Amino acid sequence: MTAALKVIQPGMQTTVQDLGRTGGQSLGIPVSGAMDATALRAANVVVGNPQDTAGLEIALAGPTLEAAADSIRVALAGGTGELTIQRTNGESERAGTLQSVRLVRGDTVRVGSIPGSAVAYLAIEGGLDLAPFQGSLSTYVRGGFGGLDGRALRAGDLLPLRQAAAPDRGEVRLDGFDLAPRAANRVVLGPQDDYFTPDALATFLGSEYVVSREADRMGMRLEGPALAHNEKGFNIVSDGIAPGAIQVPGNGLPIILLADRQSTGGYPKIATVISVDLPALGRTSPGARLRFERVTVETAQTLRREHEAMMRTLPERLVGVRAEGFDLERLLKENLVSGVIDGHADPHRQHH
């Protein structure tokens, strides 16, 4: 019997995503991938996967899934959401964000709403047993490829898993890891900032914008002060679109281009959100307020190197989860050869 997760309820928009599909933009194939790559990578660390393993991207409200395998270990990352687990014996429990939990056959797990973020990620230990398209499992719904049949999940779907059972070990959580939105999104001006008036550049960097309801995986339209183009106008010869590029059409309202962005575009781009800030932008919901802060290319590069160094240390931040009243982390650290530790007692008292 193939190990799988069965979709009972699919949620608002749940798709399979990894870190994206590279090398195809010259053919018009979008990169896609997780809107919040940092959250996906963190969730993978919690279940012991490589950070680029594909998981489920959950938009606004999540799915209910049933374990159709001997055992499955999962973890959620994003906002302040949590997992609600219904056991086959009738008991229920909850697991917070960035905490692993093991399911056995017949258990169900529900994500529900994800306050504080537009997206969240469910990582599954071992990953999904799906065929990659152009080297990636990322779903591109507009093109109908990647993930599970190129679409969002539906009730009744079976997501095949790469491993039949999850090892029976202690559960962990990731401590001291911040997935909060940024107060200001850092940008590098250009590549067509010379298409805007000096006042427009000052307005862009000095104003507050609101994420409109016309925001999706392709782009995020902003509401706020219009940005005036200079005598060069608002049309350019189409050129490549980088992740986080902020193009400004004739109405003067910025559009931030995101994971499912087109590969080329013909509007001037006033600035580009730096790569280290894109995950926080990807978790931003409609109605949120944004500001922009200018940095240099050199600063952007330094920040990315620092971010990647921090991400490599995430396994060191994993701690044991208290289970049934015992502090598992402390028990595992103690030398039990000479005696027994009372997990409920004062940590400085040892019984022999």
Side-chain angles (χ1 to χ4, degrees), residues 132 199 233:
D199 284 347

Side-chain angles (χ1 to χ4, degrees), residues 302-316:
T302 297
L303 290 168
R304 180 55 184 263
R305 285 192 293 267
E306 291 173 349
H307 177 75
E308 291 303 314
M310 180 273 294
M311 294 297 292
R312 288 193 293 272
T313 69
L314 290 190
E316 301 170 14

Side-chain angles (χ1 to χ4, degrees), residues 13-268:
Q13 176 84 354
T14 305
T15 58
V16 176
Q17 300 292 342
D18 54 25
L19 297 186
R21 183 173 287 108
T22 58
Q25 286 184 279
S26 63
L27 303 174
I29 300 174
V31 174
S32 298
M35 289 277 283
D36 182 355
T38 298
L40 173 61
R41 293 171 69 180
N44 274 319
V45 167
V46 175
V47 297
N49 289 341
Q51 292 188 19
D52 60 354
T53 303
L56 299 182
E57 180 176 273
I58 297 159
L60 299 178
T64 299
L65 308 166
E66 179 183 325
D70 290 343
S71 58
I72 302 170
R73 179 169 282 107
V74 297
L76 181 72
T80 56
E82 61 181 10
L83 301 177
T84 302
I85 300 95
Q86 188 67 41
R87 301 293 186 181
T88 55
N89 62 6
E91 295 181 357
S92 64
E93 61 187 80
R94 297 178 185 273
T97 188
L98 294 172
Q99 176 180 320
S100 69
V101 63
R102 186 171 179 262
L103 313 173
V104 298
R105 190 177 299 276
D107 289 349
T108 61
V109 59
R110 180 173 64 86
V111 176
S113 63
I114 45 173
S117 183
V119 291
Y121 295 86
L122 189 74
I124 303 103
E125 183 176 5
L128 300 169
D129 192 15
L130 296 170
F133 178 83
Q134 295 285 332
S136 170
L137 292 186
S138 285
T139 308
Y140 179 53
V141 173
R142 282 185 172 86
F145 55 79
L148 184 67
D149 300 329
R151 58 172 173 79
L153 300 190
R154 299 172 185 162
D157 282 340
L158 287 174
L159 288 164
L161 306 179
R162 289 192 175 275
Q163 65 181 33
D168 187 6
R169 62 172 184 265
E171 304 306 328
V172 296
R173 69 175 184 270
L174 184 59
D175 267 4
F177 190 66
D178 184 13
L179 288 172
R182 284 195 54 78
N185 294 276
R186 292 164 292 193
V187 299
V188 173
L189 290 185
Q192 286 98 28
D193 53 307
D194 58 330
Y195 273 66
F196 298 88
T197 66
D199 284 347
L201 291 170
T203 297
F204 172 70
L205 294 172
S207 301
E208 186 175 73
Y209 287 86
V210 176
V211 179
S212 82
R213 294 188 177 276
E214 295 182 68
D216 57 20
R217 285 181 47 84
M218 185 175 182
M220 180 181 286
R221 293 179 180 270
L222 303 182
E223 298 171 348
L227 304 175
H229 301 83
N230 60 25
E231 68 279 358
K232 293 184 179 182
F234 57 85
N235 288 303
I236 63 171
V237 175
S238 291
D239 65 358
I241 299 290
I246 306 174
Q247 65 179 14
V248 184
N251 65 5
L253 295 180
I255 304 170
I256 308 174
L257 298 171
L258 302 173
D260 283 352
R261 67 194 178 277
Q262 70 273 30
S263 55
T264 63
Y267 293 126

Side-chain angles (χ1 to χ4, degrees), residues 313-334:
T313 69
L314 290 190
E316 301 170 14
R317 301 191 188 187
L318 294 175
V319 298
V321 175
R322 288 180 63 91
E324 300 178 353
F326 286 88
D327 189 338
L328 181 60
E329 179 191 8
R330 190 174 70 82
L331 290 175
L332 292 175
K333 288 180 178 178
E334 294 285 352

